[in-house]
Amino acid sequence: MTGLALMMFIAVFAFGSELVGWSDPHGRVQLGLFMSFLFGIVCGYRTKG
């Protein structure tokens, strides 16, 4: 499951503007995606331990 989530994140992070069609000249959407992925990892780690 982690591998699938990682592959989906990389696909949306790298090719999201072509897939979804958003305009992101300053990189704010990519920053938001990265931070949500990072927070998901942290929260998932905290609930397991």
Side-chain angles (χ1 to χ4, degrees):
M1 191 57 118
T2 304
L4 177 63
L6 184 60
M7 288 188 317
M8 288 174 62
F9 168 73
I10 291 171
V12 171
F13 189 79
F15 305 109
S17 60
E18 289 87 19
L19 294 173
V20 181
W22 67 61
S23 175
D24 188 23
H26 301 292
R28 292 187 179 131
V29 174
Q30 284 187 331
L31 179 64
L33 285 170
F34 177 73
M35 294 305 292
S36 65
F37 187 75
L38 185 67
F39 292 149
I41 290 172
V42 170
C43 290
Y45 178 75
R46 292 187 73 192
T47 57
K48 283 185 181 179

Coordinates of all heavy atoms in Angstrom, one line a residue:
M1 N 0.8 -1.2 0.0 CA 0.0 0.0 0.0 C 0.9 1.3 0.0 O 0.5 2.2 -0.7 CB -0.9 0.0 1.2 CG -2.0 1.0 1.2 SD -3.0 0.9 -0.3 CE -4.5 0.6 0.4
T2 N 2.0 1.2 0.7 CA 2.9 2.3 0.8 C 3.5 2.6 -0.6 O 3.6 3.8 -1.0 CB 4.0 2.1 1.8 OG1 3.4 1.8 3.1 CG2 4.9 3.3 1.9
G3 N 3.8 1.5 -1.3 CA 4.4 1.7 -2.7 C 3.4 2.3 -3.6 O 3.8 3.2 -4.4
L4 N 2.1 1.9 -3.5 CA 1.1 2.5 -4.4 C 0.9 4.0 -4.1 O 0.8 4.8 -5.0 CB -0.2 1.8 -4.2 CG -1.4 2.3 -5.0 CD1 -1.2 2.2 -6.5 CD2 -2.7 1.5 -4.6
A5 N 0.9 4.3 -2.8 CA 0.7 5.7 -2.4 C 1.9 6.6 -2.9 O 1.7 7.7 -3.3 CB 0.6 5.8 -0.9
L6 N 3.1 6.0 -2.8 CA 4.3 6.7 -3.2 C 4.3 6.9 -4.8 O 4.6 8.0 -5.2 CB 5.6 6.0 -2.8 CG 6.9 6.6 -3.1 CD1 7.0 8.0 -2.4 CD2 8.0 5.7 -2.7
M7 N 3.9 5.9 -5.5 CA 3.8 6.1 -7.0 C 2.8 7.1 -7.4 O 3.0 7.9 -8.3 CB 3.5 4.7 -7.6 CG 4.7 3.8 -7.6 SD 4.5 2.2 -8.5 CE 2.8 1.7 -8.1
M8 N 1.6 7.1 -6.7 CA 0.6 8.0 -7.0 C 1.0 9.5 -6.7 O 0.7 10.4 -7.4 CB -0.7 7.7 -6.2 CG -1.4 6.5 -6.8 SD -2.8 6.0 -5.8 CE -3.9 7.4 -5.9
F9 N 1.7 9.6 -5.5 CA 2.2 10.9 -5.2 C 3.2 11.5 -6.2 O 3.1 12.6 -6.6 CB 2.9 10.9 -3.8 CG 3.7 12.1 -3.5 CD1 3.0 13.3 -3.2 CD2 5.1 12.1 -3.5 CE1 3.8 14.5 -2.9 CE2 5.8 13.2 -3.3 CZ 5.2 14.4 -3.0
I10 N 4.1 10.6 -6.6 CA 5.1 11.0 -7.6 C 4.5 11.4 -8.9 O 4.8 12.4 -9.6 CB 6.2 9.9 -7.8 CG1 7.0 9.8 -6.5 CG2 7.1 10.2 -9.0 CD1 8.0 8.7 -6.5
A11 N 3.5 10.6 -9.3 CA 2.8 10.9 -10.6 C 2.0 12.3 -10.5 O 2.1 13.1 -11.4 CB 1.8 9.8 -10.9
V12 N 1.3 12.5 -9.4 CA 0.6 13.8 -9.3 C 1.6 14.9 -9.1 O 1.4 16.0 -9.7 CB -0.4 13.7 -8.2 CG1 -1.1 15.0 -7.9 CG2 -1.5 12.7 -8.5
F13 N 2.6 14.7 -8.4 CA 3.6 15.8 -8.1 C 4.3 16.2 -9.4 O 4.5 17.4 -9.7 CB 4.6 15.3 -7.1 CG 5.5 16.4 -6.6 CD1 5.1 17.3 -5.6 CD2 6.8 16.5 -7.0 CE1 5.9 18.3 -5.2 CE2 7.7 17.5 -6.6 CZ 7.2 18.4 -5.7
A14 N 4.7 15.2 -10.2 CA 5.5 15.5 -11.4 C 4.6 15.9 -12.6 O 5.0 16.7 -13.4 CB 6.3 14.3 -11.7
F15 N 3.5 15.2 -12.8 CA 2.7 15.3 -14.0 C 1.3 15.9 -13.7 O 0.4 15.8 -14.5 CB 2.6 14.0 -14.7 CG 3.9 13.4 -15.0 CD1 4.4 12.3 -14.4 CD2 4.8 14.0 -16.0 CE1 5.6 11.7 -14.7 CE2 6.0 13.5 -16.3 CZ 6.4 12.3 -15.6
G16 N 1.0 16.4 -12.5 CA -0.3 16.8 -12.1 C -0.9 17.9 -13.0 O -2.0 18.0 -13.3
S17 N 0.0 18.9 -13.4 CA -0.5 20.0 -14.2 C -1.0 19.5 -15.6 O -1.9 20.0 -16.1 CB 0.6 21.0 -14.4 OG 1.7 20.5 -15.0
E18 N -0.3 18.5 -16.1 CA -0.8 17.9 -17.4 C -2.0 17.0 -17.2 O -2.9 17.0 -18.0 CB 0.3 17.1 -18.1 CG 1.4 17.9 -18.6 CD 2.5 18.2 -17.6 OE1 2.6 17.4 -16.6 OE2 3.3 19.1 -17.8
L19 N -2.1 16.3 -16.1 CA -3.2 15.4 -15.8 C -4.5 16.1 -15.4 O -5.6 15.8 -15.9 CB -2.8 14.3 -14.7 CG -1.7 13.4 -15.1 CD1 -1.4 12.6 -13.8 CD2 -2.2 12.4 -16.2
V20 N -4.3 17.0 -14.5 CA -5.5 17.7 -14.0 C -5.7 19.1 -14.7 O -6.9 19.5 -14.9 CB -5.3 18.0 -12.5 CG1 -6.5 18.7 -11.9 CG2 -5.1 16.6 -11.8
G21 N -4.7 19.7 -15.1 CA -4.8 21.0 -15.9 C -4.7 22.2 -15.0 O -5.1 23.3 -15.4
W22 N -4.1 22.1 -13.8 CA -4.0 23.3 -13.0 C -2.8 24.2 -13.5 O -1.9 23.7 -14.1 CB -3.8 23.0 -11.5 CG -2.6 22.3 -11.1 CD1 -1.3 22.8 -11.3 CD2 -2.4 21.1 -10.5 NE1 -0.4 21.9 -10.8 CE2 -1.1 20.8 -10.3 CE3 -3.4 20.1 -10.1 CZ2 -0.6 19.7 -9.7 CZ3 -2.9 19.0 -9.5 CH2 -1.5 18.8 -9.3
S23 N -2.9 25.5 -13.2 CA -1.8 26.4 -13.5 C -1.1 26.7 -12.2 O -1.6 27.2 -11.2 CB -2.4 27.7 -14.1 OG -1.4 28.7 -14.3
D24 N 0.2 26.4 -12.2 CA 1.0 26.6 -11.0 C 2.4 27.2 -11.3 O 3.4 26.6 -11.2 CB 1.3 25.2 -10.4 CG 1.9 25.2 -9.0 OD1 1.8 26.2 -8.3 OD2 2.5 24.2 -8.6
P25 N 2.3 28.5 -11.6 CA 3.6 29.2 -12.0 C 4.6 29.4 -10.9 O 5.8 29.4 -11.1 CB 3.2 30.5 -12.6 CG 1.8 30.8 -12.0 CD 1.2 29.4 -11.7
H26 N 4.1 29.4 -9.6 CA 5.0 29.7 -8.5 C 5.2 28.4 -7.7 O 5.9 28.5 -6.6 CB 4.4 30.8 -7.6 CG 4.2 32.1 -8.3 ND1 5.2 32.8 -8.7 CD2 3.1 32.7 -8.7 CE1 4.8 33.9 -9.3 NE2 3.5 33.9 -9.3
G27 N 4.7 27.3 -8.0 CA 4.9 26.0 -7.3 C 4.2 25.8 -6.1 O 4.5 25.0 -5.2
R28 N 3.1 26.6 -5.8 CA 2.4 26.5 -4.6 C 1.5 25.2 -4.5 O 1.4 24.7 -3.4 CB 1.5 27.7 -4.4 CG 2.3 29.0 -4.2 CD 1.4 30.1 -3.9 NE 2.2 31.3 -3.6 CZ 2.0 32.5 -4.2 NH1 1.0 32.6 -5.0 NH2 2.8 33.5 -3.9
V29 N 1.0 24.7 -5.6 CA 0.3 23.5 -5.6 C 1.2 22.3 -5.3 O 0.9 21.5 -4.5 CB -0.5 23.3 -6.9 CG1 -1.2 21.9 -7.0 CG2 -1.5 24.4 -7.2
Q30 N 2.4 22.3 -5.9 CA 3.3 21.3 -5.6 C 3.8 21.3 -4.2 O 4.0 20.3 -3.5 CB 4.5 21.4 -6.6 CG 4.2 20.9 -7.9 CD 5.5 20.8 -8.8 OE1 6.4 21.6 -8.6 NE2 5.5 19.9 -9.7
L31 N 4.0 22.5 -3.6 CA 4.3 22.6 -2.2 C 3.2 22.1 -1.3 O 3.5 21.3 -0.3 CB 4.6 24.1 -1.8 CG 5.0 24.3 -0.4 CD1 6.3 23.6 0.0 CD2 5.1 25.8 -0.1
G32 N 2.0 22.4 -1.6 CA 0.9 21.8 -0.9 C 0.8 20.3 -0.9 O 0.5 19.6 0.1
L33 N 1.0 19.8 -2.1 CA 1.0 18.3 -2.3 C 2.1 17.7 -1.5 O 1.9 16.7 -0.8 CB 1.2 17.9 -3.8 CG 0.0 18.1 -4.7 CD1 0.4 17.9 -6.1 CD2 -1.1 17.2 -4.3
F34 N 3.3 18.3 -1.5 CA 4.4 17.7 -0.8 C 4.2 17.8 0.7 O 4.4 16.8 1.5 CB 5.7 18.5 -1.1 CG 6.9 18.0 -0.3 CD1 7.5 16.8 -0.6 CD2 7.4 18.8 0.7 CE1 8.6 16.4 0.1 CE2 8.5 18.4 1.4 CZ 9.1 17.2 1.1
M35 N 3.6 18.9 1.2 CA 3.4 19.0 2.7 C 2.3 18.1 3.1 O 2.4 17.5 4.2 CB 3.0 20.5 3.0 CG 4.1 21.5 2.8 SD 5.7 21.1 3.6 CE 5.2 21.3 5.3
S36 N 1.2 17.9 2.3 CA 0.2 16.9 2.7 C 0.7 15.5 2.7 O 0.4 14.7 3.6 CB -1.0 17.1 1.8 OG -0.7 16.7 0.5
F37 N 1.6 15.2 1.8 CA 2.2 13.8 1.8 C 3.1 13.7 3.0 O 3.1 12.6 3.7 CB 3.0 13.6 0.5 CG 3.5 12.2 0.4 CD1 2.7 11.2 0.0 CD2 4.9 12.0 0.6 CE1 3.1 9.9 -0.2 CE2 5.3 10.7 0.4 CZ 4.5 9.6 0.0
L38 N 3.9 14.7 3.3 CA 4.8 14.6 4.5 C 4.0 14.5 5.8 O 4.3 13.7 6.7 CB 5.7 15.9 4.5 CG 6.7 15.9 5.6 CD1 7.8 14.9 5.4 CD2 7.4 17.3 5.6
F39 N 2.9 15.3 5.9 CA 2.1 15.2 7.1 C 1.4 13.9 7.3 O 1.2 13.4 8.3 CB 1.1 16.4 7.2 CG 1.7 17.7 7.4 CD1 1.1 18.9 6.8 CD2 2.9 17.9 8.1 CE1 1.7 20.1 7.0 CE2 3.4 19.2 8.2 CZ 2.8 20.3 7.7
G40 N 1.0 13.3 6.1 CA 0.4 12.0 6.1 C 1.3 10.9 6.6 O 1.0 10.0 7.4
I41 N 2.6 11.0 6.2 CA 3.6 10.1 6.7 C 3.8 10.2 8.2 O 3.8 9.3 9.0 CB 4.9 10.3 6.0 CG1 4.8 9.9 4.5 CG2 6.1 9.6 6.7 CD1 6.0 10.2 3.7
V42 N 3.9 11.5 8.7 CA 4.1 11.7 10.1 C 2.9 11.2 10.9 O 3.1 10.6 12.0 CB 4.3 13.2 10.4 CG1 4.3 13.6 11.9 CG2 5.7 13.7 9.8
C43 N 1.7 11.5 10.5 CA 0.5 11.1 11.2 C 0.4 9.5 11.2 O 0.0 8.9 12.2 CB -0.8 11.7 10.6 SG -0.9 13.5 11.0
G44 N 0.7 8.9 10.1 CA 0.6 7.5 10.0 C 1.7 6.8 10.9 O 1.4 5.8 11.5
Y45 N 2.8 7.4 11.0 CA 3.9 6.9 11.9 C 3.5 7.0 13.3 O 3.7 6.1 14.1 CB 5.2 7.7 11.6 CG 6.3 7.2 12.5 CD1 7.0 6.0 12.3 CD2 6.7 8.0 13.6 CE1 8.0 5.6 13.1 CE2 7.8 7.6 14.4 CZ 8.4 6.4 14.2 OH 9.4 6.0 15.0
R46 N 2.8 8.1 13.7 CA 2.4 8.4 15.1 C 1.3 7.4 15.5 O 1.2 7.0 16.6 CB 2.0 9.8 15.3 CG 3.3 10.7 15.1 CD 2.9 12.1 15.5 NE 2.8 12.2 16.9 CZ 2.2 13.2 17.5 NH1 1.8 14.3 16.9 NH2 2.1 13.2 18.9
T47 N 0.4 7.1 14.6 CA -0.7 6.2 15.0 C -0.3 4.7 15.1 O -0.9 4.0 15.8 CB -1.9 6.3 14.0 OG1 -1.4 6.0 12.6 CG2 -2.5 7.7 14.0
K48 N 0.8 4.4 14.3 CA 1.3 3.0 14.4 C 2.0 2.7 15.7 O 2.0 1.7 16.3 CB 2.2 2.7 13.2 CG 1.5 2.4 11.9 CD 2.5 2.0 10.9 CE 1.8 1.7 9.6 NZ 2.7 1.4 8.5
G49 N 2.8 3.7 16.1 CA 3.7 3.5 17.3 C 3.0 3.8 18.5 O 2.9 3.3 19.5

